[in-house]
Amino acid sequence: MTPALSLPPDASVDTTLDRCRELVEDASYPTVRRWREAGGKVVGHFQVYFPEEIAHAAGLLPFKVRGAPVEPTRAESHFGSYLCSILKTSLELALSGRVEFDLFVTHPICDAARNLAGVWGRNAKYPCQILYLPQNATSAHAVDYLRGEYDRLRRAVEGVAGRLVSDDDLRASIAVYNENRALLRELYAIKRDAPWAVSPEDAFSLVAVGGLVPRDEHNALLRRLLPELRLRHGKRQDKIRVVFQGGFCEQPPLDLIRAIGRSCYVVDDDFLIGLRWILEDVPLDGDPLRNLARAYLETSSHSPVQHDLRKPKEAMLLERVRAAGAQAAIVTAAKMCEPGLEEQVAYTRALERESVPYFVSEFEENMSSFEQLEVQLETFVENLLFD
């Protein structure tokens, strides 16, 4: 198929980053449209984590449904006004025909999202599935249970693809995704070690575009771009190093990330954490579905929607701050996001105990005014720089 990014192989770093930003903000999703026009099929999956390897192994394009910069004019009638924006704008994509899937998969990550599959399924012609990730991640039966869920998903994917997905197919896809996660870890190492080399909005776009294009193509993009970013010589500025916490599900608008970057180096974050959920290579030998299940549970990141007593959220945030050498934390939550807003209280108490400065805010994916927040953040930064 035609490369989804539509970039010449010798495109400059700036041209490539511009193209990634354009794709991330383009609610017509041209990469998905071109994939379908070439005869490909698409699996849409809602936040936070989805084992894309299973869809990839069947030759399908996994598309990360993460809301959109659109007005949910049709979707408003299907959800209450008190719910988060991402549910409505995600459904709007389907109702408006902006993207067309062959299968949609969601997860009961919160009370609001629990109803998404039912609402979506009543308004779509293609099948909608719920993937039930383990609620008790420390159970001795969690891996077996999740392996069974992944096998059920494999059968659903086979029905859409019209072909069987063998263990060897899965191993080949796991290898592709292992490389992708390693490349994303390298990108985050650049953010941490030389944050002046890549702006927060560019780093976000480089990750986000992976949810819009075939992962093999994303790997090729990152393989070419990351060495060039390493060689970038930017002038170090008077900015503080911060960790951004609160982007695990609904994503802040790119302009908000850009505004934060004008006064801060964002050296770590939980933006699109589902695309970076697994922290180590998944083994290629043995049962691939069991290996994926074990990786989800044993070698993974954390978010407010995974309940794992081995990963206390406050301790995980403090470790993220320490590992990134951050001077402060920006603790945010999407408006009307119950899991995110609940965690804010625990996060701020933990930061206070460890004397880590923090800035608390909230956002909405379609917000368009950032002046007040930017002034408040600049004041916070100046107090730290000149205290």
Side-chain angles (χ1 to χ4, degrees):
M1 294 188 181
T2 303
L5 288 168
S6 299
L7 277 168
D10 58 347
S12 69
V13 171
D14 290 336
T15 298
T16 303
L17 293 174
D18 288 345
R19 180 59 177 154
C20 290
R21 288 194 300 270
E22 290 171 3
L23 288 174
V24 168
E25 294 191 291
D26 188 343
S28 70
Y29 301 104
T31 58
V32 181
R33 186 177 63 250
R34 286 195 292 271
W35 178 270
R36 293 194 66 85
E37 288 171 352
K41 294 184 177 181
V42 183
V43 175
H45 59 91
F46 190 66
Q47 298 276 43
V48 171
Y49 171 76
F50 176 78
E52 288 193 357
E53 291 92 336
I54 298 173
H56 180 273
L60 308 180
L61 175 66
F63 174 86
K64 189 164 188 64
V65 179
R66 52 177 178 81
V70 298
E71 286 299 320
T73 52
R74 298 170 180 82
E76 284 281 8
S77 62
H78 297 273
F79 290 111
S81 60
Y82 51 87
L83 297 181
C84 57
S85 174
I86 186 175
L87 287 176
K88 301 172 188 176
T89 59
S90 295
L91 181 62
E92 185 71 19
L93 296 180
L95 297 179
S96 64
R98 284 181 171 87
V99 289
E100 184 179 349
F101 301 136
D102 299 279
L103 172 67
F104 175 68
V105 183
T106 185
H107 322 276
I109 58 174
C110 64
D111 288 342
R114 187 172 289 116
N115 297 313
L116 182 59
V119 175
W120 200 298
R122 287 195 297 272
N123 291 278
K125 297 179 181 178
Y126 45 84
C128 298
Q129 293 268 348
I130 298 176
L131 178 64
Y132 293 98
L133 299 170
Q135 290 298 302
N136 182 2
T138 58
S139 166
H141 306 287
V143 172
D144 289 337
Y145 163 79
L146 187 55
R147 197 263 177 216
E149 276 293 283
Y150 284 177
D151 195 40
R152 181 176 66 84
L153 176 62
R154 171 165 60 175
R155 293 193 297 273
V157 165
E158 288 174 338
V160 170
R163 50 159 289 195
L164 297 178
V165 176
S166 70
D167 284 357
D168 284 341
D169 292 331
L170 287 167
R171 292 186 187 101
S173 291
I174 288 171
V176 170
Y177 278 79
N178 279 346
E179 181 184 10
N180 187 254
R181 287 184 285 262
L183 289 165
L184 291 178
R185 290 194 294 271
E186 184 179 346
L187 172 61
Y188 268 70
I190 295 173
K191 279 167 56 82
R192 183 183 64 246
D193 300 337
W196 48 87
V198 56
S199 67
E201 69 269 21
D202 285 340
F204 176 91
S205 299
L206 281 173
V207 177
V209 79
L212 305 174
V213 303
R215 202 50 58 96
D216 316 63
E217 188 173 337
H218 193 222
N219 286 351
L221 167 71
L222 294 173
R223 279 196 303 267
R224 179 176 66 82
L225 203 62
L226 294 182
E228 297 184 52
L229 289 178
R230 282 278 189 193
L231 296 175
R232 261 184 160 183
H233 298 291
K235 185 177 180 182
R236 192 167 185 170
Q237 299 174 299
D238 286 333
K239 299 180 179 181
I240 65 169
R241 297 169 59 92
V242 302
V243 163
F244 184 102
Q245 190 81 6
F248 64 94
C249 184
E250 185 170 326
Q251 300 301 299
L254 211 56
D255 282 340
L256 175 57
I257 300 173
R258 185 177 292 114
I260 293 171
R262 283 194 278 269
S263 57
C264 302
Y265 288 130
V266 181
V267 291
D268 203 354
D269 55 66
D270 62 349
F271 297 144
L272 297 165
I273 193 66
L275 294 177
R276 304 178 287 117
W277 183 257
I278 295 174
L279 302 177
E280 300 175 6
D281 283 356
V282 179
L284 299 180
D285 55 338
D287 180 350
L289 292 181
R290 180 171 294 278
N291 290 342
L292 283 171
R294 183 172 286 112
Y296 171 81
L297 293 162
E298 304 293 343
T299 57
S300 54
S301 187
H302 60 95
S303 85
V305 297
Q306 188 199 42
H307 309 289
D308 189 336
L309 297 177
R310 299 166 300 179
K311 302 176 186 176
K313 309 301 188 302
E314 307 93 315
M316 295 294 99
L317 172 57
L318 291 172
E319 176 55 31
R320 180 171 279 163
V321 170
R322 283 191 287 265
Q327 299 162 270
I330 297 177
V331 180
T332 67
K335 291 182 179 180
M336 305 294 181
C337 175
E338 185 176 339
L341 291 168
E342 284 182 352
E343 293 298 336
Q344 271 193 339
V345 177
Y347 286 149
T348 54
R349 287 178 177 172
L351 292 167
E352 285 177 0
R353 284 197 302 270
E354 298 297 320
S355 300
V356 177
Y358 61 87
F359 178 86
V360 176
S361 184
E362 64 178 12
F363 66 86
E364 192 170 31
E365 59 183 354
N366 284 332
M367 66 189 293
S368 57
S369 177
F370 312 100
E371 289 83 0
Q372 183 177 358
L373 184 147
E374 193 166 2
V375 169
Q376 293 171 342
L377 183 58
E378 286 174 354
T379 302
F380 171 75
V381 170
E382 288 172 0
N383 286 337
L384 292 180
L385 287 174
F386 305 113
D387 187 9

